Amino acid sequence: MISDKMEVLVKNSSVIRAMFEEGKRLASIYGADKVYDFSLGNPNVPAPSEVNEAIKAVVDEESSTYIHGYMSNSGYEDVRKAISASINRRFGTDFNESNIVMTVGAAGGMNVLFKSILNPGDEVIVFAPYFGEYRSYAANADAKLVTVSPDTTTFQPNIKEFEQLITARTKVVIINTPNNPTGVIYSEDTLRALADVMKRKEVELGTDIVLFSDEPYRELAYDGAVVPYVTGFYDNTVVGYSYSKSLSLPGERIGYLVIPDSLKDAELVKSACNTATRILGFVNAPSLMQRVIARCVDVDVTENIKVYDRNRSALYEGLTLAGFECVKPQGAFYMFMKTPCDDKEFAERAKKYNILVVPGSSFGCPGYVRIAYCVAYETIVGSLDSFRQLAQEFR
Ligand code: PLP
């Protein structure tokens, strides 16, 4: 019954989601406190109180038909205005409401953009390790994913190899910083080098290449690390943002695209994204959440960051003491740990200790596992003895 295309996608269905289901199964056998489930990037920190207050205020103060009704497919104008003003204040940009399209999270935004600009056979370049769902999003548009191999010394993009992989069919380059799964933040130098290569290649090949900056973790940066705003480096940039992680709202499905006027054919791309939002069946981003975001664009998430930072330190210290080698994350809430054997085998062996981690192969980077530390502090502390026992197996 199912389509040939879906058959392949179902077979390769997300390892991360499968792990999540395994976590629930183990918790029902051993009890939730005995299972160390680091599989999913589901924030354990509650949404800031301002979000719940805003939900109540919207329901109490705004007209019901307005809150629950249809609006322009790109979203409420006042919401887009509030978002563009906030971006301008924080990053010195010059956007207005016409540059913003409200989306069903970062995933929805990426699918809207890809539907709008990709032709079958176009190439989408990603830097390993990368969020595995990019494969499906490219496949949705019948595009081909091209992977730049990882630089496992810095986990910054390998610029030399990137340049060699750009062809006349390259249409989109995806970057994700702070990065899932490494927690690395791409430096300004890296972004400038990347932009220089893309500008050069556009001239050489006579093509337009879009840099898509996938930024669900933008606010989650530690030790005062700066996450440069990418539109300043390269004109043909589109930014995808999501409130899933910064405001702990992954189930609410709310985010936005920034389509700068500097983008080639910006007006056409805006119209295409508006149409794609409708015809992909989203119609528009969730209305109530848009109204809430209008009141929460500048909510301070410092307290959430402190919680993740405490987890980060405890986990990094514990794993390093146990003898594991980890990339010290600068942002997001993931740790990328080198495995002493094949990463899939390691993830299997970790299950014996009720530890659930995701093999690096799912991110195009074998030899590592991803540990999502957006969990209770007690889970981290409780897991360390099990990690130590697991490390002993390889002595
Ligand atoms: N991009 C990256 C790098 C992610 O890690 C995620 C979710 O984990 C997404 C996109 C999807 O985010 P959203 O829930 O906003 O669709």
mmCIF file of all heavy atoms in Angstrom, residues 283-304:
data_model
loop_
_atom_site.group_PDB
_atom_site.id
_atom_site.type_symbol
_atom_site.label_atom_id
_atom_site.label_comp_id
_atom_site.label_asym_id
_atom_site.label_seq_id
_atom_site.Cartn_x
_atom_site.Cartn_y
_atom_site.Cartn_z
ATOM 1 N N VAL A 283 -0.756 25.189 6.246
ATOM 2 C CA VAL A 283 -1.607 26.376 6.039
ATOM 3 C C VAL A 283 -0.991 27.600 6.717
ATOM 4 O O VAL A 283 -0.726 28.602 6.089
ATOM 5 C CB VAL A 283 -3.070 26.156 6.474
ATOM 6 C CG1 VAL A 283 -3.900 27.406 6.232
ATOM 7 C CG2 VAL A 283 -3.663 24.961 5.720
ATOM 8 N N ASN A 284 -0.805 27.515 8.022
ATOM 9 C CA ASN A 284 -0.050 28.581 8.710
ATOM 10 C C ASN A 284 0.527 27.987 9.993
ATOM 11 O O ASN A 284 0.108 26.909 10.422
ATOM 12 C CB ASN A 284 -0.955 29.787 9.042
ATOM 13 C CG ASN A 284 -2.204 29.414 9.787
ATOM 14 O OD1 ASN A 284 -3.302 29.430 9.233
ATOM 15 N ND2 ASN A 284 -2.081 29.058 11.052
ATOM 16 N N ALA A 285 1.489 28.706 10.597
ATOM 17 C CA ALA A 285 2.038 28.249 11.881
ATOM 18 C C ALA A 285 0.936 28.376 12.941
ATOM 19 O O ALA A 285 0.038 29.221 12.805
ATOM 20 C CB ALA A 285 3.251 29.099 12.248
ATOM 21 N N PRO A 286 0.996 27.553 14.013
ATOM 22 C CA PRO A 286 -0.068 27.570 15.032
ATOM 23 C C PRO A 286 -0.384 28.988 15.526
ATOM 24 O O PRO A 286 0.497 29.725 15.970
ATOM 25 C CB PRO A 286 0.512 26.711 16.152
ATOM 26 C CG PRO A 286 1.448 25.788 15.450
ATOM 27 C CD PRO A 286 2.029 26.573 14.301
ATOM 28 N N SER A 287 -1.670 29.323 15.452
ATOM 29 C CA SER A 287 -2.119 30.697 15.691
ATOM 30 C C SER A 287 -1.895 31.146 17.141
ATOM 31 O O SER A 287 -1.320 32.211 17.395
ATOM 32 C CB SER A 287 -3.606 30.771 15.315
ATOM 33 O OG SER A 287 -4.116 32.018 15.611
ATOM 34 N N LEU A 288 -2.344 30.316 18.085
ATOM 35 C CA LEU A 288 -2.199 30.701 19.495
ATOM 36 C C LEU A 288 -0.725 30.923 19.843
ATOM 37 O O LEU A 288 -0.368 31.897 20.512
ATOM 38 C CB LEU A 288 -2.809 29.616 20.403
ATOM 39 C CG LEU A 288 -2.574 29.767 21.902
ATOM 40 C CD1 LEU A 288 -3.175 31.066 22.440
ATOM 41 C CD2 LEU A 288 -3.141 28.580 22.676
ATOM 42 N N MET A 289 0.136 30.048 19.343
ATOM 43 C CA MET A 289 1.560 30.186 19.657
ATOM 44 C C MET A 289 2.153 31.448 19.027
ATOM 45 O O MET A 289 3.021 32.088 19.602
ATOM 46 C CB MET A 289 2.328 28.938 19.190
ATOM 47 C CG MET A 289 2.282 27.826 20.171
ATOM 48 S SD MET A 289 2.907 28.341 21.806
ATOM 49 C CE MET A 289 1.551 27.834 22.834
ATOM 50 N N GLN A 290 1.664 31.813 17.847
ATOM 51 C CA GLN A 290 2.132 33.076 17.251
ATOM 52 C C GLN A 290 1.783 34.243 18.177
ATOM 53 O O GLN A 290 2.616 35.117 18.438
ATOM 54 C CB GLN A 290 1.460 33.315 15.897
ATOM 55 C CG GLN A 290 1.921 32.398 14.795
ATOM 56 C CD GLN A 290 1.458 32.912 13.444
ATOM 57 O OE1 GLN A 290 1.577 34.091 13.123
ATOM 58 N NE2 GLN A 290 0.928 32.011 12.637
ATOM 59 N N ARG A 291 0.543 34.236 18.693
ATOM 60 C CA ARG A 291 0.115 35.335 19.583
ATOM 61 C C ARG A 291 1.004 35.360 20.846
ATOM 62 O O ARG A 291 1.327 36.418 21.369
ATOM 63 C CB ARG A 291 -1.371 35.183 20.000
ATOM 64 C CG ARG A 291 -2.374 35.017 18.893
ATOM 65 C CD ARG A 291 -2.668 36.222 18.026
ATOM 66 N NE ARG A 291 -2.315 37.508 18.530
ATOM 67 C CZ ARG A 291 -1.709 38.450 17.812
ATOM 68 N NH1 ARG A 291 -1.361 38.221 16.550
ATOM 69 N NH2 ARG A 291 -1.448 39.612 18.327
ATOM 70 N N VAL A 292 1.358 34.158 21.321
ATOM 71 C CA VAL A 292 2.199 34.060 22.529
ATOM 72 C C VAL A 292 3.601 34.599 22.235
ATOM 73 O O VAL A 292 4.173 35.371 23.019
ATOM 74 C CB VAL A 292 2.259 32.580 23.012
ATOM 75 C CG1 VAL A 292 3.323 32.387 24.080
ATOM 76 C CG2 VAL A 292 0.893 32.146 23.525
ATOM 77 N N ILE A 293 4.130 34.219 21.084
ATOM 78 C CA ILE A 293 5.493 34.645 20.732
ATOM 79 C C ILE A 293 5.568 36.173 20.627
ATOM 80 O O ILE A 293 6.570 36.786 21.026
ATOM 81 C CB ILE A 293 5.955 33.951 19.424
ATOM 82 C CG1 ILE A 293 6.171 32.451 19.655
ATOM 83 C CG2 ILE A 293 7.211 34.610 18.855
ATOM 84 C CD1 ILE A 293 7.147 32.085 20.758
ATOM 85 N N ALA A 294 4.499 36.807 20.151
ATOM 86 C CA ALA A 294 4.503 38.274 20.048
ATOM 87 C C ALA A 294 4.829 38.911 21.400
ATOM 88 O O ALA A 294 5.440 39.967 21.471
ATOM 89 C CB ALA A 294 3.142 38.757 19.547
ATOM 90 N N ARG A 295 4.424 38.222 22.475
ATOM 91 C CA ARG A 295 4.666 38.752 23.826
ATOM 92 C C ARG A 295 5.963 38.221 24.427
ATOM 93 O O ARG A 295 6.327 38.616 25.544
ATOM 94 C CB ARG A 295 3.497 38.348 24.755
ATOM 95 C CG ARG A 295 2.157 38.955 24.347
ATOM 96 C CD ARG A 295 1.024 38.287 25.112
ATOM 97 N NE ARG A 295 -0.280 38.787 24.670
ATOM 98 C CZ ARG A 295 -1.065 39.572 25.399
ATOM 99 N NH1 ARG A 295 -0.698 39.945 26.617
ATOM 100 N NH2 ARG A 295 -2.225 39.984 24.925
ATOM 101 N N CYS A 296 6.627 37.285 23.750
ATOM 102 C CA CYS A 296 7.788 36.615 24.369
ATOM 103 C C CYS A 296 9.082 36.737 23.562
ATOM 104 O O CYS A 296 10.044 36.001 23.841
ATOM 105 C CB CYS A 296 7.477 35.126 24.563
ATOM 106 S SG CYS A 296 6.187 34.816 25.770
ATOM 107 N N VAL A 297 9.114 37.622 22.575
ATOM 108 C CA VAL A 297 10.301 37.649 21.696
ATOM 109 C C VAL A 297 11.599 37.951 22.444
ATOM 110 O O VAL A 297 12.668 37.516 22.023
ATOM 111 C CB VAL A 297 10.165 38.651 20.514
ATOM 112 C CG1 VAL A 297 9.286 38.110 19.423
ATOM 113 C CG2 VAL A 297 9.729 40.014 20.978
ATOM 114 N N ASP A 298 11.482 38.696 23.538
ATOM 115 C CA ASP A 298 12.722 39.066 24.238
ATOM 116 C C ASP A 298 12.842 38.415 25.615
ATOM 117 O O ASP A 298 13.557 38.930 26.486
ATOM 118 C CB ASP A 298 12.811 40.594 24.369
ATOM 119 C CG ASP A 298 13.074 41.247 23.007
ATOM 120 O OD1 ASP A 298 13.795 40.649 22.192
ATOM 121 O OD2 ASP A 298 12.520 42.346 22.774
ATOM 122 N N VAL A 299 12.164 37.294 25.807
ATOM 123 C CA VAL A 299 12.245 36.626 27.114
ATOM 124 C C VAL A 299 13.693 36.203 27.385
ATOM 125 O O VAL A 299 14.370 35.670 26.503
ATOM 126 C CB VAL A 299 11.305 35.387 27.140
ATOM 127 C CG1 VAL A 299 11.640 34.485 28.314
ATOM 128 C CG2 VAL A 299 9.850 35.826 27.215
ATOM 129 N N ASP A 300 14.129 36.465 28.605
ATOM 130 C CA ASP A 300 15.498 36.145 28.995
ATOM 131 C C ASP A 300 15.587 34.649 29.371
ATOM 132 O O ASP A 300 14.843 34.186 30.239
ATOM 133 C CB ASP A 300 15.850 37.029 30.209
ATOM 134 C CG ASP A 300 17.261 36.812 30.692
ATOM 135 O OD1 ASP A 300 18.009 36.067 30.032
ATOM 136 O OD2 ASP A 300 17.614 37.388 31.745
ATOM 137 N N VAL A 301 16.466 33.906 28.690
ATOM 138 C CA VAL A 301 16.552 32.464 28.962
ATOM 139 C C VAL A 301 17.829 32.099 29.730
ATOM 140 O O VAL A 301 18.257 30.945 29.738
ATOM 141 C CB VAL A 301 16.428 31.629 27.652
ATOM 142 C CG1 VAL A 301 15.052 31.738 27.068
ATOM 143 C CG2 VAL A 301 17.491 32.005 26.628
ATOM 144 N N THR A 302 18.408 33.112 30.397
ATOM 145 C CA THR A 302 19.657 32.875 31.131
ATOM 146 C C THR A 302 19.521 31.736 32.142
ATOM 147 O O THR A 302 20.443 30.923 32.298
ATOM 148 C CB THR A 302 20.071 34.163 31.890
ATOM 149 O OG1 THR A 302 19.978 35.247 30.980
ATOM 150 C CG2 THR A 302 21.465 34.070 32.432
ATOM 151 N N GLU A 303 18.356 31.680 32.815
ATOM 152 C CA GLU A 303 18.199 30.648 33.854
ATOM 153 C C GLU A 303 18.212 29.250 33.238
ATOM 154 O O GLU A 303 18.801 28.322 33.796
ATOM 155 C CB GLU A 303 16.894 30.876 34.652
ATOM 156 C CG GLU A 303 16.956 32.088 35.579
ATOM 157 C CD GLU A 303 18.195 32.091 36.484
ATOM 158 O OE1 GLU A 303 18.455 31.058 37.128
ATOM 159 O OE2 GLU A 303 18.924 33.117 36.524
ATOM 160 N N ASN A 304 17.571 29.097 32.077
ATOM 161 C CA ASN A 304 17.586 27.793 31.382
ATOM 162 C C ASN A 304 19.012 27.408 31.009
ATOM 163 O O ASN A 304 19.435 26.260 31.171
ATOM 164 C CB ASN A 304 16.747 27.837 30.099
ATOM 165 C CG ASN A 304 15.275 28.027 30.381
ATOM 166 O OD1 ASN A 304 14.915 28.497 31.451
ATOM 167 N ND2 ASN A 304 14.429 27.650 29.442
#
